[in-house]
Each structure stands twice: as structure tokens, then as C-alpha cells.
Amino acid sequence: MSSSNIQSQLLTILDMVRYGASQFNQADLFFGHGTDNAWDEAVSLTMFALHLERDLFERAKMATLLEEEKASVLALFEQRVTSHKPAAYLINQAQFAGLSFYVDERVLVPRSPIAELIHNKFSPEFNQDRAPHRILDLCTGSGCIAIACAYAFPLAEVDAVDISIDALDVAQINIEGHGLEAQVIPIQSDVFSNLDGFKYDLIVTNPPYVDQEDVESLPDEYLHEPEIGLGSGSDGLDITRKILAQAAEHLNDDGVLICEVGNSQIHVESAYPEVTFTWLTFEHGGHGVFKLTKAELDKYQDIFNQRIVKEA
């Protein structure tokens, strides 16, 4: 059946979404960059092409479409199928912690379970009587964690740090888009290299942590993301080792480190069997995020230093 015949038979928003989901499933696409299934992906792309909010789908799904509207939606579907680009890159938009962010191929698509921790304001480590005054988002990428933290703690100063100037350019777009230029400061640094003398109450980091075996078997969608934001050595811990060895120096006495390592949790536990990590749990999905206090980092400092020297 020709594309024009297909288009003529798709009448409503619901028709478009059903067709898109079928096409995505047939193409064996991978979902994991904002949605986890073909239907939700089709809804997101359809509503974007129609200049409608995603949340309006249920109210608008039986609305009939103009031919030019159908063509716009189908063009997005075709791009998704033929390029295997994550939908977020096609529309330059991603959601994180209830906020909207600009994204492109210079940064990873936001998807960290740390969003839930931010929503809960990192309780019980912090509460109404003890909020962090200085926060570091290390390996900030699009700036989504730093910006979400700024919303959660409006009186806090937040540094958004990344080694990639390209990523910081995207972070700056988002900082300005949210009107947070006075609160969130982008800084170029290789981990802590340009942060001498800087101390924080809270360090949050979602560093590259994919091990080499997983990097070599990633679905096509991940190949559109910057490799510098994914892989981190054979076991995925090259950057995490640096963070563990250096974080204590940049935390205030009651400070806390929150670090995501995803599937490399198994490598962390193998590399540091003597260390008691607190692995956090999530109501809405996610794993591989640990917490260490400044006191705990100090306690294990010799171990962290030995491991980084050994691996070097």
C-alpha cells in the first residue's frame, strides 16, 4: 500500500498513534530514552508534531487530522524507524524530574533514577531544618540534575561540572531556558581537576559507567549518544574510581556523595569488597545508585587511593 493510501486511512490522533506503535514494533526499535514501549513513543512523537502537550492525548485522541498534520507525524515516524535515533533527539526535548530540557547528540538523553531522589529532596539526608547550601552536579551533561536540584533547593548554589565543552554548551541552553543563570554555574573540569578549594554539602553524580562489554553490545539508539558519556574503561569504573578517591576533599563535614553506576554495581562491589556502600532503593524503578557520607569516604580513603593507583 502506498504512503498516500496509508495516510488517507489514518483519520484521528489515535489512528496515528496505533499505526506508529505498530511500525516501531515491526522495526524492532529499542526504547529506553524517555519511554519504555512503542505506544508511549508514538504518543510523544505524534503530540509533538501536532504542537500539543503530551498530557492532552486522552482528551484529543479522537480528533481528526488535516492532511498536512498527518504528513508531519508520519515524517517523524519515518525518521525514528530509519535512523534509530532516540525520539528525544528528533524533537530536541526530554523530560526529567517533571521538567523539560533541550537535548541533542552532544549530551545523553536524561533518564536517571536520581530524579526520584531530587523529588524527595534527598531525604532523610537532608530535611527542612538541614538543606544543602552548595551542591555539585558532577558530569552534568545537559544540566538536568543541576537544574532540578536548583528547583528543589532554591537557596542553594549549584555547580554544573563536565569535561565536555559541547555538553556545557547544552547545559547553558537549559540553564538560561529555566532562568537559573544566577543559581546554576557551568564549569569545565575533568572530574575535580578545576575545583581546587571548592567544598559542597551534596555531590550528585551520574558519571559514565558502562563497561566495555556492554558498550560493544549497545542497541543502535545508544550509538547516537556521545561515547564519552557512556563508557568508562573495561569495568565501567575509571571515572568512579577518581570520584571515590577525591570526593572527600570536596565535601563539608556533614556532606554526602550520591553516585549512579547502574549495571556496574556488580563491578563496584567486586572492586571494593571492604567498603560498605549504601545502595538506594526506588519506588519508580532504577538501581545502581549508592550513597557515602563524608565520614565514610574518610574511613575508606586509603582503600580508594590504593585502587586508583593500582588501576593506573
Side-chain angles (χ1 to χ4, degrees), residues 147-158:
I147 290 167
C149 284
Y151 276 99
F153 302 103
L155 299 181
E157 299 175 5
V158 184

Side-chain angles (χ1 to χ4, degrees), residues 54-73:
R54 167 69 174 79
D55 293 343
L56 292 177
F57 171 69
E58 286 299 326
R59 292 170 57 186
K61 63 185 180 182
M62 299 311 297
T64 56
L65 300 178
L66 301 173
E67 292 303 312
E68 54 264 38
E69 291 177 322
K70 296 178 188 179
S72 295
V73 175

